[in-house]
Amino acid sequence: MNEVPVLLYEAQADLLQVLGHPVRIHVLEVLQRAPVPVRELLAAIEMEVELPELSQQLAVLLGSGVVAVNRRGTTAVYEVAVGDVDELLTVARRMSSALLSSQGVLLEQARERASEGAS
């Protein structure tokens, strides 16, 4: 097998692992709009996240190269470092919504069958 596609598959898997945390996804959604200082980023995250956890998740994003940090005096300003993040998140949201919707239909069907069987 050609080595280049294997490396590409591995890189894609690594990227998907980086995106595999709700806080990191939310951070990317906020940062795709504009660069944001860490304190404003903490306020913009609509999840119960403390600064140490946010810092940990930012470190993962920084380590992967998906996010970059620029220092403006003593302020750390984070920004998306690669293109197409918005497109990737849009596709992931659309797929997740479809999956959740279909799972809801399946759950409803299972409930109906259970109630019919109990009758």
Side-chain angles (χ1 to χ4, degrees):
M1 182 173 199
N2 189 343
E3 190 65 22
V4 175
V6 172
L7 291 175
L8 185 57
Y9 293 141
E10 289 172 354
Q12 289 172 331
D14 290 345
L15 175 62
L16 292 173
Q17 282 185 321
V18 166
L19 299 177
H21 194 282
V23 171
R24 293 193 292 261
I25 292 170
H26 200 339
V27 164
L28 289 173
E29 286 181 344
V30 171
L31 293 181
Q32 72 183 1
R33 293 181 285 236
V36 179
V38 70
R39 290 286 178 189
E40 289 179 31
L41 185 57
L42 184 62
I45 300 294
E46 297 164 353
M47 303 170 86
E48 290 190 29
V49 177
E50 299 294 328
L51 186 56
E53 182 184 0
L54 178 60
S55 295
Q56 181 182 28
Q57 301 308 329
L58 284 168
V60 172
L61 291 167
L62 285 166
S64 71
V66 174
V67 167
V69 63
N70 293 306
R71 299 273 176 201
R72 296 183 185 159
T74 59
T75 303
V77 179
Y78 292 87
E79 62 187 347
V80 173
V82 294
D84 298 331
V85 169
D86 57 339
E87 187 176 342
L88 177 62
L89 294 175
T90 298
V91 170
R93 185 178 302 111
R94 189 171 50 240
M95 290 176 68
S96 297
S97 294
L99 289 169
L100 287 172
S101 178
S102 68
Q103 289 170 359
V105 169
L106 293 175
L107 181 59
E108 186 59 36
Q109 289 173 350
R111 287 183 182 149
E112 287 174 8
R113 285 188 195 126
S115 66
E116 289 170 3
S119 310

